Coordinates of all heavy atoms in Angstrom, one line a residue:
A1 N -26.8 41.4 65.1 CA -25.6 40.7 64.6 C -25.9 39.2 64.5 O -26.7 38.7 65.2 CB -24.5 41.0 65.5
H2 N -25.2 38.6 63.5 CA -25.4 37.2 63.3 C -24.4 36.4 64.1 O -23.3 36.7 64.1 CB -25.2 36.9 61.8 CG -25.4 35.5 61.4 ND1 -24.4 34.5 61.5 CD2 -26.5 34.8 61.0 CE1 -24.9 33.3 61.1 NE2 -26.2 33.5 60.8
E3 N -25.0 35.5 64.9 CA -24.1 34.7 65.7 C -23.6 33.4 65.0 O -24.3 32.8 64.2 CB -24.9 34.2 67.0 CG -25.2 35.3 67.9 CD -26.0 34.8 69.1 OE1 -25.9 33.6 69.4 OE2 -26.6 35.6 69.8
Q4 N -22.3 33.1 65.2 CA -21.8 31.9 64.5 C -22.3 30.7 65.3 O -22.4 30.7 66.5 CB -20.3 31.9 64.6 CG -19.6 32.7 63.5 CD -18.1 32.4 63.5 OE1 -17.5 32.4 64.5 NE2 -17.6 32.3 62.3
E5 N -22.5 29.6 64.5 CA -22.9 28.4 65.1 C -21.7 27.6 65.7 O -20.7 27.6 65.1 CB -23.6 27.5 64.1 CG -24.9 28.1 63.5 CD -25.6 27.2 62.5 OE1 -25.8 26.0 62.9 OE2 -25.9 27.6 61.4
G6 N -21.9 27.1 66.8 CA -20.8 26.3 67.5 C -20.7 24.9 66.9 O -21.5 24.5 66.1
D7 N -19.7 24.2 67.4 CA -19.5 22.8 67.0 C -20.7 21.9 67.4 O -20.9 20.9 66.8 CB -18.2 22.2 67.6 CG -17.0 22.8 66.9 OD1 -17.1 23.4 65.8 OD2 -15.9 22.8 67.6
D8 N -21.4 22.3 68.4 CA -22.5 21.5 68.9 C -23.8 21.8 68.2 O -24.9 21.3 68.6 CB -22.6 21.6 70.4 CG -22.9 23.0 70.9 OD1 -22.6 24.0 70.0 OD2 -23.3 23.2 72.0
A9 N -23.8 22.7 67.2 CA -25.0 23.0 66.5 C -25.5 21.8 65.7 O -24.7 21.0 65.2 CB -24.8 24.2 65.5
V10 N -26.8 21.7 65.6 CA -27.4 20.5 64.9 C -27.4 20.9 63.4 O -27.8 21.9 62.9 CB -28.8 20.3 65.3 CG1 -29.5 19.2 64.5 CG2 -28.9 20.0 66.8
A11 N -26.8 20.0 62.6 CA -26.7 20.2 61.1 C -28.0 19.9 60.5 O -28.8 19.1 61.0 CB -25.6 19.3 60.6
A12 N -28.3 20.6 59.4 CA -29.5 20.3 58.6 C -29.5 18.9 58.1 O -28.4 18.4 57.8 CB -29.6 21.3 57.5
P13 N -30.6 18.3 58.0 CA -30.6 16.9 57.5 C -30.0 16.8 56.1 O -30.4 17.6 55.3 CB -32.1 16.4 57.6 CG -32.8 17.7 57.8 CD -31.9 18.7 58.3
A14 N -29.2 15.9 55.9 CA -28.6 15.7 54.5 C -29.7 15.1 53.6 O -30.6 14.5 54.0 CB -27.4 14.7 54.6
A15 N -29.5 15.4 52.3 CA -30.4 14.8 51.3 C -30.3 13.3 51.5 O -29.3 12.8 51.8 CB -30.0 15.3 50.0
Q16 N -31.4 12.7 51.1 CA -31.4 11.2 51.2 C -30.3 10.7 50.3 O -30.1 11.1 49.2 CB -32.7 10.7 50.8 CG -33.8 10.9 51.8 CD -35.1 10.3 51.4 OE1 -35.3 9.9 50.3 NE2 -36.0 10.2 52.4
A17 N -29.6 9.7 50.8 CA -28.5 9.1 50.1 C -29.1 8.3 48.9 O -30.1 7.6 49.0 CB -27.7 8.1 50.9
R18 N -28.5 8.5 47.7 CA -28.9 7.8 46.6 C -28.2 6.4 46.5 O -27.0 6.3 46.9 CB -28.6 8.5 45.3 CG -29.3 9.8 45.2 CD -28.9 10.4 43.8 NE -29.4 11.8 43.8 CZ -29.1 12.6 42.8 NH1 -28.5 12.2 41.8 NH2 -29.6 13.9 42.9
E19 N -28.9 5.5 46.0 CA -28.3 4.1 45.8 C -27.3 4.2 44.7 O -27.6 4.8 43.6 CB -29.4 3.1 45.5 CG -28.8 1.7 45.4 CD -29.9 0.7 45.3 OE1 -31.0 0.9 45.9 OE2 -29.7 -0.2 44.5
A20 N -26.2 3.7 44.8 CA -25.1 3.7 43.8 C -25.6 2.9 42.6 O -26.2 1.9 42.7 CB -23.8 3.2 44.3
P21 N -25.4 3.5 41.4 CA -25.8 2.7 40.2 C -25.0 1.4 40.0 O -23.9 1.3 40.6 CB -25.4 3.7 39.0 CG -24.4 4.6 39.6 CD -24.7 4.7 41.1
P22 N -25.5 0.5 39.4 CA -24.8 -0.8 39.2 C -23.5 -0.6 38.4 O -23.4 0.2 37.6 CB -25.8 -1.7 38.4 CG -26.7 -0.7 37.8 CD -26.8 0.5 38.6
T23 N -22.5 -1.4 38.8 CA -21.2 -1.3 38.0 C -20.9 -2.6 37.3 O -19.9 -2.8 36.8 CB -20.1 -1.0 39.0 OG1 -20.0 -1.9 40.0 CG2 -20.2 0.4 39.5
S24 N -21.9 -3.5 37.3 CA -21.8 -4.8 36.6 C -23.1 -5.2 36.1 O -24.2 -4.6 36.5 CB -21.2 -5.9 37.5 OG -22.1 -6.2 38.5
Y25 N -23.2 -6.1 35.1 CA -24.4 -6.4 34.5 C -24.6 -7.9 34.5 O -23.6 -8.7 34.2 CB -24.4 -6.0 33.0 CG -25.6 -6.4 32.2 CD1 -26.8 -5.8 32.4 CD2 -25.5 -7.4 31.3 CE1 -28.0 -6.2 31.7 CE2 -26.6 -7.8 30.5 CZ -27.8 -7.2 30.8 OH -28.9 -7.6 30.1
E26 N -25.7 -8.4 35.0 CA -26.1 -9.8 35.0 C -27.0 -10.1 33.9 O -28.2 -9.6 33.9 CB -26.7 -10.2 36.3 CG -25.7 -10.2 37.5 CD -24.6 -11.2 37.4 OE1 -24.9 -12.3 36.8 OE2 -23.5 -10.9 37.8
P27 N -26.6 -10.8 32.8 CA -27.5 -11.1 31.7 C -28.7 -12.0 32.1 O -28.5 -12.8 33.0 CB -26.6 -11.7 30.7 CG -25.5 -12.3 31.4 CD -25.3 -11.4 32.6
P28 N -29.8 -11.8 31.5 CA -30.9 -12.7 31.8 C -30.7 -14.2 31.3 O -29.9 -14.4 30.5 CB -32.1 -12.1 31.0 CG -31.5 -11.4 29.9 CD -30.1 -10.9 30.4
A29 N -31.4 -15.1 31.9 CA -31.2 -16.5 31.6 C -31.5 -16.8 30.2 O -30.9 -17.7 29.6 CB -32.0 -17.4 32.6
W30 N -32.4 -16.1 29.6 CA -32.9 -16.4 28.2 C -31.9 -15.9 27.2 O -32.0 -16.2 26.0 CB -34.2 -15.8 27.9 CG -34.4 -14.3 28.2 CD1 -34.9 -13.8 29.4 CD2 -33.9 -13.2 27.5 NE1 -34.8 -12.4 29.3 CE2 -34.2 -12.0 28.2 CE3 -33.3 -13.1 26.2 CZ2 -33.9 -10.7 27.7 CZ3 -33.0 -11.8 25.7 CH2 -33.3 -10.6 26.5
G31 N -30.9 -15.1 27.6 CA -29.9 -14.5 26.6 C -28.9 -15.6 26.1 O -28.7 -16.6 26.7
G32 N -28.4 -15.3 25.0 CA -27.4 -16.2 24.4 C -26.8 -15.6 23.1 O -27.4 -14.7 22.5
P33 N -25.6 -16.1 22.7 CA -25.1 -15.5 21.5 C -26.0 -15.8 20.3 O -26.6 -16.8 20.2 CB -23.8 -16.3 21.3 CG -23.5 -16.9 22.7 CD -24.8 -17.1 23.3
P34 N -26.1 -14.8 19.4 CA -27.0 -15.0 18.2 C -26.4 -16.1 17.3 O -25.2 -16.3 17.2 CB -26.9 -13.7 17.5 CG -25.7 -13.1 17.9 CD -25.4 -13.6 19.3
E35 N -27.3 -16.9 16.7 CA -26.8 -18.0 15.9 C -27.2 -17.7 14.4 O -28.3 -17.3 14.1 CB -27.5 -19.3 16.3 CG -27.2 -19.7 17.7 CD -27.9 -21.0 18.1 OE1 -28.4 -21.7 17.2 OE2 -27.9 -21.3 19.3
G36 N -26.1 -17.7 13.6 CA -26.3 -17.6 12.2 C -26.5 -16.2 11.7 O -26.8 -16.0 10.5
I37 N -26.4 -15.2 12.5 CA -26.6 -13.8 12.1 C -25.3 -13.0 12.5 O -25.0 -13.0 13.6 CB -27.8 -13.1 12.8 CG1 -29.1 -13.9 12.5 CG2 -28.0 -11.7 12.4 CD1 -30.3 -13.5 13.3
P38 N -24.6 -12.5 11.5 CA -23.4 -11.8 11.8 C -23.5 -10.4 12.2 O -23.3 -9.4 11.5 CB -22.7 -11.9 10.4 CG -23.8 -11.8 9.4 CD -24.9 -12.6 10.1
Y39 N -24.0 -10.2 13.5 CA -24.2 -8.8 14.0 C -22.8 -8.2 14.2 O -21.9 -8.7 14.7 CB -24.9 -8.9 15.4 CG -26.3 -9.2 15.3 CD1 -26.8 -10.4 15.8 CD2 -27.2 -8.3 14.8 CE1 -28.1 -10.7 15.8 CE2 -28.6 -8.6 14.7 CZ -29.0 -9.8 15.2 OH -30.3 -10.1 15.2
K40 N -22.7 -6.9 13.8 CA -21.5 -6.1 13.9 C -21.9 -4.7 14.4 O -23.0 -4.2 14.0 CB -20.7 -6.1 12.7 CG -20.2 -7.4 12.2 CD -19.1 -7.3 11.2 CE -18.6 -8.6 10.7 NZ -18.0 -9.5 11.7
L41 N -21.0 -4.0 15.1 CA -21.2 -2.7 15.5 C -20.1 -1.8 14.9 O -18.9 -2.1 15.0 CB -21.1 -2.6 17.0 CG -21.3 -1.2 17.6 CD1 -22.7 -0.7 17.4 CD2 -20.9 -1.2 19.1
E42 N -20.5 -0.8 14.1 CA -19.5 0.1 13.5 C -19.2 1.2 14.4 O -20.1 1.9 14.9 CB -20.0 0.6 12.2 CG -20.2 -0.5 11.1 CD -20.9 0.1 9.9 OE1 -21.3 1.3 9.8 OE2 -20.9 -0.7 8.9
V43 N -18.0 1.5 14.7 CA -17.5 2.5 15.6 C -17.2 3.7 14.7 O -16.3 3.6 13.8 CB -16.3 2.1 16.5 CG1 -15.9 3.3 17.4 CG2 -16.7 0.9 17.3
L44 N -17.8 4.9 14.9 CA -17.6 6.0 14.1 C -16.9 7.1 14.9 O -17.2 7.3 16.1 CB -18.9 6.6 13.5 CG -19.8 5.6 12.7 CD1 -21.1 6.3 12.3 CD2 -19.0 5.1 11.5
K45 N -16.0 7.9 14.3 CA -15.4 9.0 14.9 C -15.3 10.1 13.8 O -14.7 9.8 12.8 CB -14.1 8.7 15.5 CG -13.5 9.9 16.3 CD -12.2 9.5 17.0 CE -11.7 10.6 17.9 NZ -10.6 10.2 18.7
G46 N -15.9 11.2 14.0 CA -15.9 12.3 13.0 C -16.6 11.9 11.7 O -16.2 12.3 10.7
G47 N -17.5 11.0 11.9 CA -18.3 10.5 10.7 C -17.6 9.4 9.9 O -18.1 9.0 8.9
Q48 N -16.4 9.0 10.3 CA -15.7 8.0 9.7 C -15.6 6.7 10.5 O -15.5 6.7 11.7 CB -14.2 8.4 9.4 CG -14.1 9.6 8.6 CD -14.5 9.4 7.1 OE1 -14.2 8.3 6.6 NE2 -15.1 10.3 6.5
E49 N -15.8 5.5 9.9 CA -15.7 4.3 10.6 C -14.2 4.0 11.0 O -13.3 4.0 10.1 CB -16.2 3.1 9.7 CG -16.2 1.8 10.4 CD -16.7 0.7 9.5 OE1 -17.6 0.9 8.6 OE2 -16.3 -0.5 9.7
V50 N -14.0 3.8 12.3 CA -12.7 3.6 12.8 C -12.5 2.2 13.3 O -11.3 1.8 13.6 CB -12.3 4.7 13.9 CG1 -12.2 6.1 13.3 CG2 -13.2 4.6 15.1
D51 N -13.6 1.5 13.5 CA -13.4 0.1 14.0 C -14.8 -0.6 13.8 O -15.8 0.0 13.6 CB -13.1 0.2 15.5 CG -12.6 -1.1 16.1 OD1 -12.4 -2.1 15.3 OD2 -12.4 -1.2 17.3
T52 N -14.7 -1.9 13.8 CA -15.9 -2.8 13.8 C -15.8 -3.8 14.9 O -14.7 -4.4 15.1 CB -16.0 -3.5 12.4 OG1 -16.0 -2.5 11.4 CG2 -17.2 -4.3 12.3
I53 N -16.9 -3.9 15.6 CA -16.9 -4.9 16.8 C -17.9 -6.0 16.4 O -19.0 -5.7 16.1 CB -17.3 -4.2 18.1 CG1 -16.3 -3.0 18.4 CG2 -17.4 -5.2 19.2 CD1 -16.8 -2.2 19.5
D54 N -17.4 -7.2 16.5 CA -18.2 -8.4 16.2 C -19.1 -8.6 17.4 O -18.6 -8.7 18.5 CB -17.3 -9.6 16.0 CG -18.1 -10.9 15.8 OD1 -19.3 -10.8 15.4 OD2 -17.5 -12.0 16.0
L55 N -20.4 -8.7 17.2 CA -21.4 -8.9 18.3 C -22.0 -10.3 18.3 O -23.0 -10.5 18.8 CB -22.5 -7.8 18.2 CG -22.1 -6.4 18.4 CD1 -23.3 -5.5 18.3 CD2 -21.4 -6.1 19.7
G56 N -21.3 -11.2 17.7 CA -21.8 -12.6 17.5 C -21.2 -13.6 18.5 O -21.6 -14.8 18.4
S57 N -20.3 -13.2 19.3 CA -19.6 -14.3 20.1 C -20.1 -14.3 21.6 O -19.7 -15.2 22.3 CB -18.1 -14.1 20.1 OG -17.8 -12.8 20.6
Q58 N -20.9 -13.3 22.0 CA -21.3 -13.3 23.4 C -22.8 -13.0 23.5 O -23.4 -12.5 22.5 CB -20.6 -12.2 24.2 CG -19.1 -12.4 24.3 CD -18.4 -11.3 25.1 OE1 -17.2 -11.4 25.3 NE2 -19.1 -10.3 25.5
N59 N -23.4 -13.1 24.7 CA -24.8 -12.8 24.8 C -25.1 -11.4 25.1 O -26.3 -10.9 25.1 CB -25.5 -13.8 25.8 CG -25.0 -13.6 27.2 OD1 -24.1 -12.8 27.5 ND2 -25.6 -14.3 28.1
H60 N -24.1 -10.6 25.5 CA -24.3 -9.2 25.8 C -22.9 -8.5 25.7 O -21.9 -9.1 25.8 CB -24.9 -9.0 27.2 CG -23.9 -9.2 28.3 ND1 -23.5 -10.5 28.7 CD2 -23.2 -8.4 29.1 CE1 -22.7 -10.4 29.7 NE2 -22.4 -9.1 30.0
Y61 N -23.0 -7.1 25.6 CA -21.9 -6.3 25.5 C -22.1 -5.0 26.3 O -23.2 -4.4 26.2 CB -21.6 -5.9 24.0 CG -21.2 -7.1 23.2 CD1 -22.2 -7.9 22.7 CD2 -19.9 -7.5 23.1 CE1 -21.9 -9.0 22.0 CE2 -19.6 -8.6 22.3 CZ -20.6 -9.4 21.8 OH -20.3 -10.5 21.1
T62 N -21.2 -4.6 27.2 CA -21.4 -3.4 28.0 C -20.5 -2.3 27.5 O -19.5 -2.5 26.9 CB -21.0 -3.7 29.5 OG1 -19.7 -4.2 29.5 CG2 -21.9 -4.8 30.1
F63 N -21.0 -1.1 27.7 CA -20.4 0.2 27.3 C -20.3 1.1 28.5 O -21.2 1.2 29.2 CB -21.2 0.8 26.2 CG -21.4 0.0 24.9 CD1 -22.2 -1.0 24.9 CD2 -20.7 0.3 23.8 CE1 -22.4 -1.8 23.7 CE2 -20.8 -0.4 22.6 CZ -21.7 -1.5 22.6
G64 N -19.2 1.8 28.6 CA -19.0 2.7 29.7 C -17.6 3.0 30.0 O -16.7 2.6 29.3
R65 N -17.3 3.8 31.1 CA -16.0 4.2 31.4 C -15.2 3.2 32.2 O -14.0 3.3 32.3 CB -16.1 5.5 32.2 CG -16.5 6.7 31.4 CD -16.4 8.0 32.2 NE -16.4 7.9 33.6 CZ -17.4 8.3 34.4 NH1 -18.5 8.8 33.9 NH2 -17.4 8.1 35.7
L66 N -15.8 2.2 32.9 CA -15.1 1.2 33.6 C -14.2 0.4 32.7 O -14.6 0.0 31.6 CB -16.1 0.3 34.4 CG -16.8 0.9 35.6 CD1 -17.8 -0.1 36.1 CD2 -15.9 1.4 36.6
P67 N -13.0 0.0 33.2 CA -12.1 -0.7 32.4 C -12.6 -2.1 32.0 O -12.1 -2.7 31.1 CB -10.8 -0.8 33.2 CG -11.2 -0.4 34.6 CD -12.4 0.4 34.5
D68 N -13.5 -2.7 32.8 CA -14.0 -4.1 32.5 C -15.2 -4.1 31.5 O -15.7 -5.2 31.3 CB -14.3 -4.8 33.8 CG -15.4 -4.2 34.7 OD1 -15.6 -3.0 34.4 OD2 -15.9 -4.8 35.6
N69 N -15.6 -3.0 31.0 CA -16.6 -3.0 30.0 C -16.1 -3.5 28.7 O -14.9 -3.4 28.4 CB -17.2 -1.5 29.7 CG -18.1 -1.1 30.8 OD1 -19.1 -1.7 31.1 ND2 -17.8 0.1 31.4
H70 N -17.0 -4.1 27.9 CA -16.5 -4.7 26.6 C -16.1 -3.6 25.6 O -15.1 -3.7 24.9 CB -17.7 -5.5 25.9 CG -18.1 -6.7 26.7 ND1 -19.2 -6.7 27.5 CD2 -17.5 -7.9 26.9 CE1 -19.3 -7.8 28.1 NE2 -18.2 -8.6 27.8
V71 N -16.8 -2.4 25.7 CA -16.4 -1.3 24.9 C -16.2 -0.1 25.9 O -17.2 0.3 26.5 CB -17.5 -0.9 23.8 CG1 -17.1 0.3 23.0 CG2 -17.8 -2.1 22.9
R72 N -15.0 0.3 26.0 CA -14.6 1.3 27.0 C -14.7 2.7 26.3 O -14.1 2.8 25.2 CB -13.3 1.1 27.6 CG -13.0 2.0 28.7 CD -11.9 1.5 29.6 NE -11.7 2.4 30.7 CZ -10.8 3.3 30.8 NH1 -9.9 3.4 29.9 NH2 -10.7 4.1 31.9
T73 N -15.3 3.6 26.9 CA -15.4 5.0 26.4 C -14.9 6.0 27.5 O -15.3 5.8 28.7 CB -16.8 5.4 26.0 OG1 -17.7 5.1 27.1 CG2 -17.3 4.5 24.8
D74 N -14.1 6.9 27.1 CA -13.6 7.9 28.1 C -14.3 9.2 28.1 O -13.8 10.2 28.7 CB -12.1 8.1 27.9 CG -11.3 6.9 28.3 OD1 -11.7 6.2 29.3 OD2 -10.3 6.6 27.7
H75 N -15.4 9.4 27.3 CA -16.0 10.6 27.2 C -16.7 11.0 28.6 O -17.3 10.1 29.2 CB -17.1 10.6 26.1 CG -17.5 12.0 25.7 ND1 -18.5 12.6 26.4 CD2 -17.1 12.8 24.7 CE1 -18.7 13.8 25.8 NE2 -17.8 13.9 24.8
P76 N -16.6 12.3 29.0 CA -17.2 12.6 30.3 C -18.7 12.5 30.4 O -19.2 12.4 31.5 CB -16.7 14.1 30.5 CG -16.3 14.6 29.2 CD -15.9 13.4 28.4
S77 N -19.4 12.4 29.3 CA -20.8 12.3 29.3 C -21.3 10.8 29.6 O -22.4 10.6 29.8 CB -21.5 12.8 28.0 OG -21.1 12.0 27.0
M78 N -20.3 9.9 29.5 CA -20.6 8.5 29.7 C -20.5 8.1 31.1 O -19.6 8.6 31.8 CB -19.7 7.6 28.9 CG -19.7 7.9 27.4 SD -21.2 7.4 26.6 CE -20.9 5.6 26.4
S79 N -21.4 7.3 31.6 CA -21.4 6.8 33.0 C -20.5 5.5 33.1 O -20.0 5.0 32.0 CB -22.8 6.5 33.5 OG -23.4 5.5 32.7
R80 N -20.3 5.1 34.3 CA -19.4 3.9 34.5 C -19.9 2.7 33.7 O -19.1 2.0 33.1 CB -19.2 3.6 36.0 CG -18.5 4.7 36.7 CD -18.5 4.4 38.2 NE -19.8 4.6 38.7 CZ -20.2 4.3 39.9 NH1 -19.4 3.8 40.7 NH2 -21.4 4.5 40.3
L81 N -21.2 2.4 33.8 CA -21.8 1.4 33.0 C -23.0 2.1 32.3 O -24.0 2.3 32.9 CB -22.4 0.2 33.9 CG -23.1 -0.9 33.2 CD1 -22.3 -1.5 32.1 CD2 -23.6 -1.9 34.2
H82 N -22.7 2.5 31.1 CA -23.6 3.4 30.4 C -24.7 2.7 29.6 O -25.9 3.1 29.6 CB -22.8 4.3 29.5 CG -23.6 5.4 28.9 ND1 -23.8 6.6 29.6 CD2 -24.2 5.6 27.7 CE1 -24.5 7.4 28.9 NE2 -24.8 6.9 27.8
A83 N -24.4 1.6 29.0 CA -25.3 0.9 28.2 C -25.0 -0.6 28.0 O -23.8 -1.0 28.2 CB -25.4 1.5 26.8
V84 N -26.0 -1.4 27.7 CA -25.8 -2.8 27.4 C -26.5 -3.1 26.1 O -27.7 -2.7 25.9 CB -26.4 -3.7 28.6 CG1 -26.3 -5.1 28.2 CG2 -25.7 -3.4 29.9
I85 N -25.9 -3.9 25.3 CA -26.6 -4.5 24.1 C -26.7 -5.9 24.5 O -25.8 -6.7 24.7 CB -25.8 -4.3 22.8 CG1 -25.7 -2.9 22.4 CG2 -26.4 -5.2 21.7 CD1 -24.9 -2.6 21.1
Q86 N -28.0 -6.3 24.6 CA -28.3 -7.7 24.9 C -28.7 -8.4 23.6 O -29.7 -8.0 23.0 CB -29.5 -7.8 26.0 CG -29.9 -9.2 26.3 CD -28.9 -9.9 27.1 OE1 -28.4 -9.4 28.1 NE2 -28.6 -11.1 26.7
V87 N -28.0 -9.4 23.2 CA -28.3 -10.1 22.0 C -28.9 -11.4 22.2 O -29.0 -11.9 23.3 CB -27.0 -10.2 21.1 CG1 -26.6 -8.9 20.6 CG2 -25.9 -10.9 21.8

């Protein structure tokens, strides 16, 4: 018969804790807004352009599920800070 383990049983070691992914982005010192080039990002949904985002006013743009990202996405496949465009 199989005996139940008591409260004083030693638990199996847990998997090593993973470091949490970053939730903010620190741009490099060399970054800066592009000068004289009108960079734009076209947002497509169902193959149709639904929005255009001007990429010429900042040195970087973040994408992800967190509300403080420049481009917020609610798709379950996206992480909290999914991508960065460094210009």
